[in-house]
Every structure is written in C-alpha cells, then in structure tokens.
Amino acid sequence: MVKVLILGGVGFIGRNLCSYLIENNLVDHITVADKVLPATAYLNSKHKAAFDSPKLTFKQANLTNAAAVEKIFTCDDGSEYDYVFNLAAETKYGQSEGVYNEKVFGLSVTCANEAAKRNIKVFVELSTAQIYDGDKKPSKEDGKTKPWTLIAKYKLKAEEELKKIKGLNLVILRPAVVYGPGDVLGITPRLIIGAVYRQLNEEMSFLWTKDLKLNTVHVSDVVKAIWWVAATKEEKGGRVNPVTTPEIYNLADKEDTNQETINVFIREIFGIKTGFQGTLISNFARLNMESVTEDINDKHLQPWSELCKNSGVTNTPLTPYLDKELLKDNALSVDGSKIENELGFSYDVPNVTLEKVREVIDDFVELGIWPKGTTVN
C-alpha cells in the first residue's frame, strides 16, 4: 500500500501530480497539505476529479510552522508515508528576502527534517533551474550556480541545507520554465501580453534578442519525473538501506526554447506582429530596470483589465504583470538529459507545440478566467 504526502499539492504542479498519480493508479492514498483551499484555487474539471477521489485527503496547513508540519506528517492510520513530495514554496516574484527565507528556505528545511526523523523512504525537493549562471551554455547538474531571482537564491540555500540532513533520502529536481494547464507564472504572462497587443492593435516587442534562452518543460513531464525519481530511488535502497547521497536532476525538454520560439506561437494564436527592442533600448533598460518595468506593466495592466471586464471575467488570478527579475537578460539554458541517461526517463512532450500552448489558454477560457474572443480562432 503506497501512501504519499504532497506538500503544496494545490499549486500548479501539485494539482497535475495528483491527477497523474490517481489516473495511472500509482498510489493507494494521497494526502495533500496546502495553505490554499482547493475550492478557491481555480481547479479545472480534471484536477477537481482528482481532489474528489476517495484516494485523496486534503489538509489545510501552514507548512512554515514546525508543529503543523509534525501533525501533517502523521498518517490517519498511524503508519508512515512512503514518499514525500515538497512542491510548497512562495512562488510570487517581488517579495522581500524575509518572505523567501521563511516560505522557501525555512519551509523546506522544516519539512525535510521531519521526513528524516520519520525515516521516509524518499523525499523529493522541487527546486528551480534559475539557480544556474544565466549564460547561453546549457547548464548541467554540476554547473556553476549564480541564482538570478530571489526565489532561486533561497531554493539553492535550501538545497545546500537539505544535503546536510542525516538520514534524508533526498532527490532534488531543477525544472526549467514549466508550462501547461494551470500555468500562471511560466509562459502565461507572455501569452496574456499577446492578447493585450491584439487588443491594442500594436506590434509586441520584447527586450533583448530572439536568441535569449527560455528553456521549457511541460508540466506532464515534471509530474512524471517526480514519481519516476521517487520510485527509482527506493529501488536503490529505501527505508531499510537508504542511499543518503542526494541525487540532482534537471528537467528540460528538447526544444532549447528561446524568446522567438514563444513569439512564433504568439503570432499564430493572436494574429499580431512581434519583434525585439534591439541593443540600444535594451541596454538603456538594463540601466533603468525599475522605471522600465513600471512603464511596461502600466501599458499592459489596463487593457487586460478591460478585456476581462468586457468578457464578463470578474475574478481571475491571471495577470500580464512582469517582475523586473524576469525582464533581465538572464538566459535559462538547461541540459535535461541526465535523468534520461541515468534513470531511463523519457520526455513525453519533447518539443513545445502550438497545440500545447493553446491548451493553456483553452483551459483558462473553460474555467472562465480568460476572456473569450482574444485569439484568431
């Protein structure tokens, strides 16, 4: 009887993981712990079905609180969980370092210590590929680290602390930009901006160049990998003879996605022209990022609000807002082959396609949180 605990299981990746585990009959029971209630999380019909399954139990919890974590780790039947998947973290950009220290670093360490204390078979920590030095060369797992967002800074800090915990059977996953149904922060803001420029009847021009890397991985491959590494790790030892050397794997598809890759789909979906600002304006932006970011967001927020209002969308988590951390010229270039070579994993979505990108929008339209009539067809 396989029982798993998913920390942060209501979020984008968590809800997809729940569906994957239940649809493929991989577990006997799932406990989801999250501060966000499923009823308020804009779950689509597929994800709702997973949360309505008798195999799944939801428990609301503040995972930064050690007492709450200890309670969550206690199974209702008194047994221990086989696997714990930590997908919980502050994901919003632009927060203070104190927030990330508590809700990224502190949360991970608290949950990992509890897992070690209980001798959990495998603890999977979801990190980010933003911890790597942002250059054009694809980063491997042993590549140079130079976090270029505050979230990544505290994810890396958490990684280093988790590696020190004795008895923790640890696997760390570092995904590139994750997209797919439920994606709010990956490529979706760019898609929203595409809808805005269709409304404005203007060309959409991004900073930097078309070659700036923006490597991607579909959420279906991320959740498949989360399960894959846990099951493989247990085969190597598990609770009886744990392999205590942490294992780290990147997750990135074969597309080698860059800014132009996404722009091609934006042109097809919204019927607009796209381009890039060029060296002069981009270099000016680099020196004046605060004001440039403010101007960019001011231009996009009002038209998006009007689109939603005119379409009867009164409440939506979607926004074209871009934080200045994401507007910098940091290349997200990731080598995701190690997990294939070492564990026999394969990517089911090896390339970004128009169908997969449109699927993101269609899912939001069906939920009533994306305005209708924003696309060409």
Side-chain angles (χ1 to χ4, degrees):
M1 184 176 181
V2 179
K3 298 188 295 298
V4 301
L5 172 61
I6 306 177
L7 307 171
V10 176
F12 165 43
I13 296 173
R15 64 186 65 180
N16 281 282
L17 177 59
C18 291
S19 293
Y20 176 77
L21 295 178
I22 289 174
E23 288 175 2
N24 290 283
N25 199 29
L26 294 171
V27 297
D28 297 289
H29 187 77
I30 300 170
T31 297
V32 169
D34 205 307
K35 64 181 178 182
V36 178
L37 293 170
T40 64
Y42 303 100
L43 300 180
N44 65 23
S45 57
K46 176 181 176 180
H47 300 142
K48 280 182 180 177
F51 276 78
D52 288 339
S53 169
K55 287 187 174 183
L56 190 148
T57 300
F58 171 78
K59 296 183 178 181
Q60 190 174 30
N62 174 9
L63 297 173
T64 63
N65 181 281
V69 170
E70 183 178 8
K71 187 176 180 180
I72 287 296
F73 268 74
T74 303
C75 290
D76 292 340
D77 63 2
S79 62
E80 297 292 351
Y81 291 105
D82 295 284
Y83 307 145
V84 175
F85 304 125
N86 183 28
L87 316 180
E90 177 60 63
T91 57
K92 291 181 181 178
Y93 295 96
Q95 307 298 305
S96 69
E97 295 213 29
V99 168
Y100 296 125
N101 190 62
E102 177 188 16
K103 297 183 178 181
V104 176
F105 172 74
L107 184 154
S108 289
V109 173
T110 298
C111 294
N113 274 317
E114 189 66 29
K117 184 175 75 174
R118 293 172 180 270
N119 207 16
I120 299 297
K121 289 180 182 178
V122 185
F123 184 88
V124 179
E125 172 77 5
L126 193 73
S127 187
T128 173
Q130 292 176 353
I131 68 163
Y132 293 118
D133 193 3
D135 58 23
K136 295 180 180 179
K137 186 178 179 181
S139 295
K140 295 186 177 183
E141 287 77 358
D142 59 355
K144 180 182 178 183
T145 57
K146 186 180 178 182
W148 46 272
T149 65
L150 284 178
I151 291 175
K153 175 182 176 180
Y154 285 92
K155 278 290 187 184
L156 181 58
K157 183 181 177 184
E159 283 189 26
E160 295 305 318
E161 191 64 26
L162 264 56
K163 291 175 186 177
K164 301 174 185 176
I165 299 175
K166 292 182 179 180
L168 182 67
N169 213 15
L170 174 66
V171 183
I172 296 169
L173 295 176
R174 297 170 177 169
V177 176
V178 185
Y179 73 102
D183 161 35
V184 174
L185 298 171
I187 65 171
T188 294
R190 291 174 183 255
L191 300 178
I192 294 172
I193 292 169
V196 166
Y197 278 88
R198 176 174 168 80
Q199 167 83 351
L200 295 173
N201 195 27
E202 295 180 16
E203 178 178 333
M204 183 181 76
S205 294
F206 280 104
L207 291 172
W208 320 117
T209 68
K210 66 179 184 180
D211 299 318
L212 183 66
K213 299 296 183 184
L214 191 71
N215 283 185
T216 50
V217 60
H218 195 271
V219 68
S220 62
D221 283 323
V222 175
V223 300
K224 177 184 175 182
I226 290 170
W227 175 257
W228 194 279
V229 297
T232 305
K233 182 82 167 176
E234 185 187 1
E235 287 177 8
K236 293 182 179 180
R239 185 180 290 145
V240 176
N241 181 28
V243 179
T244 54
T245 303
E247 296 177 9
I248 302 173
Y249 299 99
N250 293 335
L251 297 175
D253 59 35
K254 310 295 185 182
E255 187 68 41
D256 196 23
T257 309
N258 57 30
Q259 289 205 115
E260 179 61 10
T261 308
I262 304 302
N263 276 11
V264 167
F265 298 127
I266 289 174
R267 291 196 292 269
E268 292 190 51
I269 292 170
F270 300 106
I272 62 173
K273 293 181 179 180
T274 68
F276 298 91
Q277 296 286 2
T279 304
L280 187 63
I281 294 177
S282 294
N283 284 336
F284 171 80
R286 182 185 285 111
L287 299 173
N288 301 273
M289 192 56 72
E290 194 82 42
S291 61
V292 168
T293 303
E294 186 176 341
D295 290 344
I296 288 173
N297 287 321
D298 284 347
K299 182 177 178 67
H300 300 155
L301 289 169
Q302 185 61 35
W304 175 248
S305 177
E306 291 174 0
L307 273 173
C308 290
K309 182 180 178 181
N310 294 338
S311 188
V313 177
T314 56
N315 194 18
T316 177
L318 305 177
T319 173
Y321 180 85
L322 292 171
D323 190 83
K324 63 182 179 181
E325 287 185 304
L326 298 180
L327 285 174
K328 294 178 181 178
D329 57 333
N330 291 300
L332 190 66
S333 184
V334 186
D335 184 335
S337 64
K338 179 185 174 185
I339 190 172
E340 296 177 291
N341 298 334
E342 288 193 1
L343 303 184
F345 179 82
S346 62
Y347 291 93
D348 293 333
V349 187
N351 298 97
V352 186
T353 65
L354 179 62
E355 177 188 11
K356 289 298 182 183
V357 174
R358 286 206 66 123
E359 185 181 49
V360 177
I361 298 172
D362 293 343
D363 186 59
F364 287 140
V365 171
E366 187 176 339
L367 278 169
I369 58 176
W370 181 296
K372 296 179 179 179
T374 59
T375 60
V376 172
N377 50 50

